[in-house]
Coordinates of all heavy atoms in Angstrom, one line a residue:
M150 N -16.3 -0.1 0.9 CA -15.9 -1.0 2.1 C -14.5 -1.5 1.9 O -13.9 -1.4 0.8 CB -16.8 -2.2 2.1 CG -18.2 -2.0 2.8 SD -19.0 -3.5 3.1 CE -19.8 -3.6 1.4
Q151 N -13.9 -1.8 3.1 CA -12.6 -2.1 3.2 C -12.3 -3.5 2.3 O -13.0 -4.5 2.6 CB -12.2 -2.4 4.6 CG -10.7 -3.0 4.8 CD -9.7 -2.0 4.3 OE1 -9.5 -0.9 4.9 NE2 -8.9 -2.4 3.2
K152 N -11.3 -3.4 1.4 CA -11.0 -4.6 0.6 C -9.8 -5.3 1.4 O -9.0 -4.6 2.2 CB -10.5 -4.3 -0.8 CG -11.6 -3.6 -1.6 CD -11.1 -3.3 -3.0 CE -12.2 -2.8 -3.9 NZ -11.8 -2.4 -5.2
Y153 N -9.7 -6.5 1.2 CA -8.6 -7.4 1.8 C -7.9 -8.1 0.7 O -8.4 -8.5 -0.3 CB -9.3 -8.5 2.8 CG -9.7 -7.6 4.1 CD1 -10.8 -7.0 4.2 CD2 -8.9 -7.8 5.3 CE1 -11.2 -6.3 5.3 CE2 -9.2 -7.1 6.4 CZ -10.4 -6.4 6.5 OH -10.7 -5.7 7.6
E154 N -6.6 -8.3 1.0 CA -5.8 -8.9 0.1 C -5.0 -10.1 0.6 O -4.6 -10.1 1.7 CB -4.7 -7.9 -0.4 CG -3.8 -8.5 -1.5 CD -2.8 -7.5 -2.1 OE1 -2.5 -6.4 -1.4 OE2 -2.2 -7.6 -3.1
C155 N -5.0 -11.3 -0.2 CA -4.3 -12.4 0.2 C -2.8 -12.1 0.0 O -2.5 -12.0 -1.3 CB -4.9 -13.6 -0.5 SG -4.1 -15.2 -0.2
V156 N -2.0 -12.3 1.0 CA -0.6 -11.9 0.9 C 0.1 -12.8 -0.1 O 0.8 -12.5 -0.8 CB 0.1 -11.8 2.2 CG1 1.5 -11.6 2.1 CG2 -0.7 -10.7 3.1
P157 N -0.1 -14.2 0.2 CA 0.7 -15.2 -0.6 C 0.5 -15.0 -2.1 O 1.3 -15.2 -3.0 CB 0.2 -16.4 -0.2 CG -0.3 -16.2 1.2 CD -0.9 -14.8 1.2
C158 N -0.9 -14.9 -2.7 CA -1.2 -14.9 -4.0 C -1.7 -13.7 -4.6 O -1.8 -13.6 -5.8 CB -2.2 -16.1 -4.3 SG -3.9 -15.6 -3.7
G159 N -2.0 -12.7 -3.9 CA -2.5 -11.5 -4.2 C -3.9 -11.3 -4.5 O -4.4 -10.2 -5.1
Y160 N -4.7 -12.3 -4.1 CA -6.3 -12.2 -4.4 C -6.7 -11.2 -3.5 O -6.3 -10.9 -2.3 CB -6.7 -13.5 -4.0 CG -8.3 -13.7 -3.9 CD1 -9.2 -13.6 -4.9 CD2 -8.9 -13.5 -2.7 CE1 -10.6 -13.5 -4.9 CE2 -10.2 -13.3 -2.5 CZ -11.1 -13.3 -3.6 OH -12.4 -13.4 -3.4
V161 N -7.6 -10.3 -4.1 CA -8.2 -9.2 -3.4 C -9.8 -9.5 -3.2 O -10.5 -9.8 -4.1 CB -8.2 -8.0 -4.0 CG1 -8.9 -6.9 -3.4 CG2 -6.7 -7.6 -4.3
Y162 N -10.2 -9.7 -1.8 CA -11.5 -9.9 -1.6 C -12.3 -8.5 -1.5 O -11.8 -7.7 -0.6 CB -11.7 -10.5 -0.2 CG -13.1 -10.6 0.2 CD1 -14.0 -11.6 -0.3 CD2 -13.8 -9.7 1.1 CE1 -15.2 -11.8 0.0 CE2 -15.1 -9.9 1.4 CZ -15.9 -10.9 0.9 OH -17.2 -10.9 1.2
D163 N -13.2 -8.3 -2.3 CA -13.9 -7.2 -2.5 C -15.3 -7.4 -1.9 O -16.2 -8.2 -2.5 CB -14.1 -6.6 -4.0 CG -14.8 -5.3 -4.0 OD1 -15.3 -4.9 -3.1 OD2 -14.8 -4.6 -5.1
P164 N -15.7 -6.8 -0.8 CA -17.0 -7.1 -0.1 C -18.1 -6.8 -1.0 O -19.3 -7.3 -0.9 CB -16.8 -6.0 1.1 CG -15.4 -5.8 1.3 CD -14.8 -5.9 0.0
A165 N -17.9 -5.8 -1.8 CA -19.0 -5.4 -2.8 C -19.4 -6.6 -3.8 O -20.6 -6.7 -4.3 CB -18.7 -4.3 -3.6
E166 N -18.3 -7.4 -4.0 CA -18.6 -8.6 -5.0 C -18.7 -9.9 -4.1 O -19.4 -10.8 -4.7 CB -17.5 -8.6 -5.8 CG -17.2 -7.6 -6.8 CD -16.0 -7.7 -7.6 OE1 -15.3 -8.7 -7.5 OE2 -15.8 -6.8 -8.4
G167 N -18.3 -9.9 -2.8 CA -18.5 -11.1 -2.2 C -17.6 -12.3 -2.7 O -16.7 -12.1 -3.6
D168 N -18.0 -13.5 -2.6 CA -17.5 -14.7 -3.1 C -18.5 -15.7 -3.4 O -18.8 -16.7 -2.7 CB -16.4 -15.3 -2.2 CG -15.6 -16.4 -2.7 OD1 -15.7 -16.7 -4.0 OD2 -15.0 -17.2 -2.0
P169 N -19.4 -15.4 -4.4 CA -20.5 -16.2 -4.7 C -20.2 -17.7 -5.0 O -21.0 -18.6 -4.7 CB -21.0 -15.6 -6.0 CG -20.5 -14.2 -6.0 CD -19.3 -14.2 -5.3
D170 N -19.1 -18.0 -5.5 CA -18.7 -19.4 -5.8 C -18.6 -20.2 -4.5 O -18.7 -21.4 -4.4 CB -17.4 -19.4 -6.4 CG -17.4 -18.9 -7.9 OD1 -18.6 -18.8 -8.5 OD2 -16.5 -18.5 -8.5
H171 N -18.4 -19.5 -3.4 CA -18.3 -20.2 -2.1 C -19.4 -19.7 -1.2 O -19.1 -19.9 0.1 CB -16.9 -19.8 -1.5 CG -15.7 -20.3 -2.3 ND1 -15.3 -19.7 -3.4 CD2 -15.0 -21.7 -2.2 CE1 -14.2 -20.5 -4.0 NE2 -14.1 -21.7 -3.3
G172 N -20.6 -19.4 -1.7 CA -21.5 -18.9 -0.9 C -21.5 -17.7 -0.1 O -22.3 -17.6 0.9
I173 N -20.7 -16.9 -0.4 CA -20.7 -15.5 0.1 C -21.4 -14.6 -0.7 O -20.9 -14.2 -1.8 CB -19.1 -15.0 0.3 CG1 -18.3 -16.2 1.0 CG2 -19.1 -13.9 1.0 CD1 -18.8 -16.6 2.5
D174 N -22.4 -13.8 -0.2 CA -23.2 -13.0 -0.9 C -22.4 -11.7 -1.1 O -21.8 -11.3 -0.1 CB -24.5 -12.7 -0.2 CG -25.4 -14.1 -0.1 OD1 -25.3 -14.8 -1.1 OD2 -26.2 -14.3 0.8
P175 N -22.7 -11.1 -2.2 CA -22.2 -9.6 -2.4 C -22.6 -8.8 -1.3 O -23.7 -8.8 -0.9 CB -22.7 -9.1 -3.7 CG -23.0 -10.5 -4.4 CD -23.4 -11.5 -3.4
G176 N -21.7 -7.9 -0.8 CA -22.0 -7.0 0.3 C -21.7 -7.6 1.7 O -21.9 -6.8 2.7
T177 N -21.0 -8.6 1.6 CA -20.5 -9.3 2.9 C -19.3 -8.7 3.4 O -18.3 -9.0 2.5 CB -20.5 -10.9 2.8 OG1 -21.7 -11.3 2.4 CG2 -20.2 -11.5 4.2
P178 N -19.1 -8.0 4.4 CA -17.9 -7.5 4.9 C -16.9 -8.7 5.2 O -17.3 -9.8 5.6 CB -18.1 -6.7 6.0 CG -19.5 -6.9 6.4 CD -20.1 -7.6 5.2
F179 N -15.7 -8.4 5.0 CA -14.6 -9.5 5.3 C -14.8 -10.1 6.9 O -14.5 -11.3 7.0 CB -13.1 -9.0 5.2 CG -12.1 -10.0 5.5 CD1 -11.9 -11.0 4.4 CD2 -11.4 -10.1 6.6 CE1 -10.7 -11.9 4.6 CE2 -10.5 -11.0 6.9 CZ -10.1 -11.9 5.9
E180 N -15.1 -9.2 7.8 CA -15.3 -9.8 9.2 C -16.4 -10.7 9.3 O -16.4 -11.5 10.3 CB -15.6 -8.4 10.0 CG -14.4 -7.4 10.2 CD -14.3 -6.5 8.9 OE1 -15.1 -6.7 8.1 OE2 -13.3 -5.7 8.8
D181 N -17.3 -10.7 8.4 CA -18.5 -11.7 8.5 C -18.3 -12.8 7.8 O -19.2 -13.8 7.8 CB -19.8 -10.9 7.9 CG -20.3 -9.9 8.9 OD1 -19.7 -9.6 10.0 OD2 -21.2 -9.0 8.6
L182 N -17.2 -13.1 7.1 CA -16.8 -14.2 6.4 C -16.8 -15.5 7.5 O -16.2 -15.1 8.7 CB -15.6 -14.2 5.7 CG -15.7 -13.3 4.4 CD1 -14.2 -13.2 3.7 CD2 -16.6 -13.8 3.4
P183 N -17.3 -16.6 7.2 CA -17.0 -17.8 8.1 C -15.7 -18.2 8.2 O -14.8 -17.9 7.5 CB -17.9 -18.9 7.4 CG -17.8 -18.4 5.9 CD -17.9 -17.0 5.9
D184 N -15.4 -18.7 9.5 CA -14.0 -19.1 9.9 C -13.4 -20.0 8.9 O -12.1 -20.0 8.8 CB -13.9 -19.6 11.3 CG -14.3 -18.4 12.2 OD1 -14.0 -17.2 11.8 OD2 -14.6 -18.7 13.3
D185 N -14.2 -20.8 8.3 CA -13.7 -21.9 7.4 C -13.6 -21.3 5.9 O -13.2 -22.1 5.1 CB -14.6 -23.1 7.4 CG -16.0 -22.7 6.9 OD1 -16.3 -21.6 6.7 OD2 -16.8 -23.7 6.8
W186 N -13.9 -20.1 5.8 CA -13.5 -19.5 4.4 C -12.2 -19.4 4.1 O -11.3 -19.1 4.9 CB -14.2 -18.0 4.4 CG -14.1 -17.4 3.0 CD1 -14.9 -17.6 1.9 CD2 -13.0 -16.6 2.6 NE1 -14.5 -16.9 0.9 CE2 -13.3 -16.3 1.2 CE3 -11.8 -16.2 3.1 CZ2 -12.4 -15.4 0.6 CZ3 -10.9 -15.3 2.4 CH2 -11.3 -14.8 1.1
V187 N -11.8 -19.8 2.9 CA -10.3 -19.8 2.5 C -10.3 -19.0 1.2 O -11.3 -18.9 0.5 CB -9.8 -21.2 2.3 CG1 -9.8 -22.0 3.6 CG2 -10.7 -22.0 1.3
C188 N -9.1 -18.6 0.9 CA -8.9 -17.9 -0.4 C -9.2 -18.8 -1.6 O -8.7 -19.9 -1.7 CB -7.3 -17.6 -0.5 SG -6.8 -16.8 -2.1
P189 N -10.0 -18.3 -2.4 CA -10.6 -19.0 -3.6 C -9.4 -19.2 -4.5 O -9.5 -20.2 -5.4 CB -11.6 -18.2 -4.3 CG -11.3 -16.8 -3.9 CD -10.6 -17.0 -2.5
W190 N -8.3 -18.6 -4.5 CA -7.1 -18.8 -5.3 C -6.1 -19.8 -4.9 O -5.8 -20.8 -5.5 CB -6.4 -17.5 -5.7 CG -7.2 -16.6 -6.6 CD1 -8.4 -16.7 -7.0 CD2 -6.8 -15.4 -7.2 NE1 -9.0 -15.6 -7.9 CE2 -7.8 -14.9 -8.0 CE3 -5.5 -14.7 -7.2 CZ2 -7.7 -13.7 -8.6 CZ3 -5.5 -13.4 -7.7 CH2 -6.5 -12.9 -8.6
C191 N -5.7 -19.6 -3.7 CA -4.6 -20.5 -3.1 C -5.1 -21.3 -2.0 O -4.2 -22.2 -1.5 CB -3.4 -19.6 -2.8 SG -3.7 -18.6 -1.3
G192 N -6.2 -21.1 -1.3 CA -6.6 -22.0 -0.3 C -6.2 -21.6 1.0 O -6.4 -22.3 2.0
A193 N -5.5 -20.3 1.1 CA -5.1 -20.1 2.4 C -6.3 -19.5 3.2 O -7.2 -19.2 2.8 CB -4.1 -18.8 2.2
N194 N -6.1 -19.7 4.6 CA -7.1 -19.4 5.5 C -7.1 -17.9 5.8 O -6.2 -17.1 5.2 CB -7.0 -20.1 6.8 CG -5.7 -19.8 7.5 OD1 -5.1 -18.8 7.4 ND2 -5.2 -20.8 8.2
K195 N -8.1 -17.4 6.5 CA -8.1 -15.8 6.7 C -7.0 -15.3 7.4 O -6.8 -14.1 7.4 CB -9.5 -15.7 7.6 CG -10.7 -16.0 6.8 CD -11.9 -15.8 7.8 CE -12.2 -14.5 8.3 NZ -13.3 -14.4 9.0
G196 N -6.1 -16.1 8.1 CA -5.0 -15.6 8.8 C -4.1 -14.8 8.0 O -3.4 -14.0 8.5
V197 N -4.1 -15.2 6.6 CA -3.0 -14.5 5.9 C -3.6 -13.3 5.0 O -2.8 -12.7 4.3 CB -2.4 -15.5 4.8 CG1 -1.7 -16.6 5.6 CG2 -3.3 -16.0 3.8
I198 N -4.9 -13.1 5.3 CA -5.5 -12.1 4.4 C -5.4 -10.8 5.3 O -5.7 -10.8 6.5 CB -7.0 -12.3 4.3 CG1 -7.3 -13.8 3.7 CG2 -7.7 -11.4 3.2 CD1 -6.7 -14.1 2.3
Q199 N -4.9 -9.8 4.6 CA -4.6 -8.6 5.3 C -5.5 -7.3 4.7 O -5.6 -7.3 3.5 CB -3.1 -8.2 5.4 CG -2.4 -9.2 6.2 CD -1.0 -8.7 6.4 OE1 -0.6 -7.7 5.8 NE2 -0.2 -9.5 7.1
A200 N -5.8 -6.5 5.5 CA -6.5 -5.3 4.9 C -5.7 -4.6 4.0 O -4.5 -4.3 4.1 CB -6.9 -4.4 6.0
K201 N -6.2 -4.3 2.8 CA -5.7 -3.5 1.7 C -5.6 -2.1 2.1 O -6.7 -1.5 2.3 CB -6.3 -3.8 0.4 CG -5.5 -3.4 -0.8 CD -6.3 -3.9 -2.1 CE -5.5 -3.4 -3.4 NZ -4.2 -4.0 -3.4
S202 N -4.4 -1.5 2.1 CA -4.2 -0.1 2.4 C -4.9 0.8 1.5 O -4.9 0.6 0.2 CB -2.7 0.2 2.6 OG -2.2 0.0 1.3
L203 N -5.7 1.7 2.0 CA -6.4 2.7 1.3 C -5.4 3.7 0.6 O -4.4 4.2 1.3 CB -7.3 3.4 2.0 CG -8.6 2.4 2.5 CD1 -9.6 3.3 3.6 CD2 -9.2 1.8 1.6
G204 N -5.8 4.3 -0.5 CA -4.9 5.3 -1.1 C -3.8 4.7 -1.9 O -3.5 3.5 -1.7
S205 N -3.4 5.5 -2.9 CA -2.3 4.8 -3.6 C -1.1 5.7 -3.5 O 0.0 5.6 -4.3 CB -2.7 4.9 -5.2 OG -3.1 6.3 -5.5
S206 N -0.9 6.6 -2.5 CA 0.2 7.3 -2.4 C 1.5 6.4 -2.0 O 1.3 5.6 -1.1 CB 0.0 8.3 -1.4 OG -0.3 7.8 -0.1
E207 N 2.5 6.7 -2.6 CA 3.7 5.8 -2.3 C 4.3 6.3 -1.0 O 4.5 7.6 -0.8 CB 4.7 6.0 -3.4 CG 4.2 5.3 -4.6 CD 5.3 5.5 -5.7 OE1 6.3 6.0 -5.5 OE2 4.9 4.9 -6.8
A208 N 4.6 5.4 -0.2 CA 5.3 5.8 1.0 C 6.8 6.1 0.8 O 7.6 5.3 0.3 CB 5.1 4.7 2.1
R209 N 7.1 7.2 1.2 CA 8.6 7.7 1.0 C 9.2 7.9 2.4 O 8.7 8.8 3.2 CB 8.7 8.9 0.2 CG 8.2 8.7 -1.3 CD 8.3 10.0 -2.0 NE 8.0 9.8 -3.4 CZ 8.0 10.8 -4.3 NH1 8.4 12.0 -4.0 NH2 7.6 10.5 -5.6
P210 N 10.3 7.1 2.7 CA 10.8 7.3 4.0 C 11.4 8.6 4.1 O 12.2 9.1 3.2 CB 11.9 6.2 4.1 CG 12.1 5.9 2.6 CD 10.8 6.2 1.8
Q211 N 11.4 9.3 5.2 CA 11.9 10.6 5.4 C 13.2 10.4 6.2 O 13.1 10.1 7.3 CB 11.1 11.5 6.2 CG 9.7 11.9 5.3 CD 8.7 12.8 6.0 OE1 8.9 13.1 7.2 NE2 8.0 13.5 5.2
V212 N 14.3 10.8 5.7 CA 15.6 10.6 6.2 C 16.3 11.9 6.3 O 16.5 12.6 5.3 CB 16.5 9.5 5.6 CG1 17.7 9.4 6.3 CG2 15.8 8.1 5.5
D213 N 16.6 12.3 7.5 CA 17.3 13.5 7.6 C 19.0 13.2 7.6 O 19.4 12.4 8.3 CB 17.1 14.2 9.0 CG 15.6 14.6 9.0 OD1 15.1 15.0 7.9 OD2 14.9 14.7 10.1
V214 N 19.4 13.7 6.5 CA 20.8 13.6 6.4 C 21.6 14.9 6.7 O 21.5 15.9 6.2 CB 21.1 13.3 5.0 CG1 22.6 12.9 4.7 CG2 20.5 12.0 4.6
E215 N 22.4 14.6 7.8 CA 23.2 15.8 8.3 C 24.6 15.7 7.6 O 25.3 14.7 7.8 CB 23.3 15.9 9.8 CG 21.8 16.2 10.3 CD 22.0 16.3 11.8 OE1 23.2 16.2 12.3 OE2 20.9 16.6 12.5
R216 N 24.9 16.7 7.0 CA 26.3 16.7 6.4 C 27.2 17.5 7.4 O 26.9 18.8 7.6 CB 26.4 17.2 5.0 CG 25.5 16.5 4.1 CD 25.6 17.0 2.8 NE 27.1 16.8 2.2 CZ 27.4 17.1 1.0 NH1 26.6 17.7 0.1 NH2 28.7 17.0 0.7
I217 N 28.2 16.9 7.9 CA 29.1 17.6 8.8 C 30.3 17.9 7.9 O 31.1 17.1 7.5 CB 29.5 16.7 10.0 CG1 28.1 16.2 10.7 CG2 30.5 17.4 11.0 CD1 28.5 15.2 11.9
I218 N 30.4 19.2 8.0 CA 31.7 19.8 7.4 C 32.8 20.0 8.4 O 32.7 20.9 9.4 CB 31.3 21.1 6.6 CG1 30.2 21.0 5.7 CG2 32.6 21.7 6.0 CD1 29.7 22.1 5.0
G219 N 33.8 19.2 8.2 CA 35.0 19.3 9.2 C 35.8 20.6 9.0 O 36.5 20.9 9.9
G220 N 35.7 21.2 8.0 CA 36.5 22.4 7.8 C 36.6 22.7 6.3 O 36.7 21.7 5.5
L221 N 36.8 23.9 6.1 CA 36.9 24.4 4.5 C 38.4 24.1 4.2 O 39.3 24.5 5.0 CB 36.4 25.8 4.4 CG 35.0 26.0 4.5 CD1 34.7 27.4 4.6 CD2 34.1 25.1 3.7
Q222 N 38.4 23.6 3.0 CA 39.8 23.5 2.5 C 40.2 24.6 1.6 O 39.6 24.9 0.7 CB 40.0 22.1 1.7 CG 39.9 20.9 2.5 CD 40.2 19.7 1.8 OE1 40.1 19.6 0.5 NE2 40.6 18.6 2.4
T223 N 41.2 25.3 2.0 CA 41.7 26.5 1.3 C 42.8 26.2 0.5 O 43.8 25.7 1.1 CB 41.8 27.6 2.2 OG1 42.8 27.4 3.2 CG2 40.6 28.1 2.8
R224 N 42.7 26.5 -0.7 CA 43.9 26.2 -1.5 C 44.8 27.5 -1.6 O 44.4 28.5 -2.1 CB 43.5 25.9 -2.9 CG 44.6 25.6 -3.8 CD 44.1 25.0 -5.2 NE 43.5 23.7 -5.0 CZ 42.9 23.1 -6.1 NH1 43.0 23.6 -7.3 NH2 42.4 21.9 -5.8
P225 N 46.1 27.4 -1.0 CA 46.8 28.7 -1.0 C 47.2 29.1 -2.4 O 47.4 28.2 -3.2 CB 48.1 28.1 -0.2 CG 48.2 26.6 -0.4 CD 46.6 26.2 -0.5
K226 N 47.2 30.3 -2.4 CA 47.5 30.9 -3.8 C 49.1 30.7 -4.0 O 49.8 31.0 -3.2 CB 47.1 32.4 -3.8 CG 45.6 32.5 -4.0 CD 45.3 34.0 -4.2 CE 43.8 34.3 -4.3 NZ 43.5 35.7 -4.4
T227 N 49.4 30.4 -5.2 CA 50.8 30.3 -5.5 C 51.1 31.5 -6.4 O 50.5 31.8 -7.4 CB 51.1 29.0 -6.2 OG1 50.3 29.0 -7.5 CG2 50.9 27.8 -5.3
T228 N 52.1 32.1 -5.9 CA 52.6 33.2 -6.6 C 53.9 33.0 -7.5 O 54.8 32.4 -6.9 CB 52.9 34.5 -5.8 OG1 53.8 34.1 -4.7 CG2 51.6 35.0 -5.1
G229 N 53.8 33.2 -8.7 CA 54.9 32.8 -9.5 C 55.9 33.9 -9.8 O 56.3 34.8 -9.2
Ligands
ZN389 ZN1 -4.7 -16.6 -1.8

C-alpha cells in the first residue's frame, strides 16, 4: 500500500502498521484516517502529509546542451 510521509519531520505512515497508539488499526489506508488524525511525531495535520514516491531511482534532469561553434580557429604556420 501507498506510504505517506510527513514533510516537516519525516515521519512515514505505513498503512500496514497503522498508528495503534492513536487508535489506527494496522491495514488502514491513509485515505481512511480520521480528519483529526495528526502526525504522531510533530502533531501536524494531514494537510502536510504527502504520498511517498515509489521507487528509489534518482531523478536526473535532462538538459540538452547545444554547443555553438562560431568558427574554427586556425593557427597559421610560421615558416622560419
Ligand atoms: Zn510530522
Side-chain angles (χ1 to χ4, degrees):
M150 277 188 279
Q151 174 65 63
K152 294 181 180 179
Y153 282 78
E154 182 174 17
C155 178
V156 175
C158 77
Y160 166 82
V161 176
Y162 176 77
D163 187 349
E166 298 180 1
D168 186 13
D170 292 340
H171 297 84
I173 308 300
D174 294 330
T177 303
F179 181 81
E180 291 81 1
D181 288 351
L182 292 176
D184 290 337
D185 60 353
W186 181 87
V187 296
C188 172
W190 286 7
C191 71
N194 59 33
K195 293 174 63 177
V197 301
I198 314 292
Q199 295 186 354
K201 192 171 179 60
S202 60
L203 299 175
S205 60
S206 62
E207 296 180 359
R209 293 181 180 178
Q211 292 181 346
V212 179
D213 291 332
V214 179
E215 292 184 359
R216 299 186 64 178
I217 301 175
I218 302 175
L221 296 175
Q222 289 184 343
T223 56
R224 182 173 294 179
K226 289 182 179 179
T227 57
T228 55

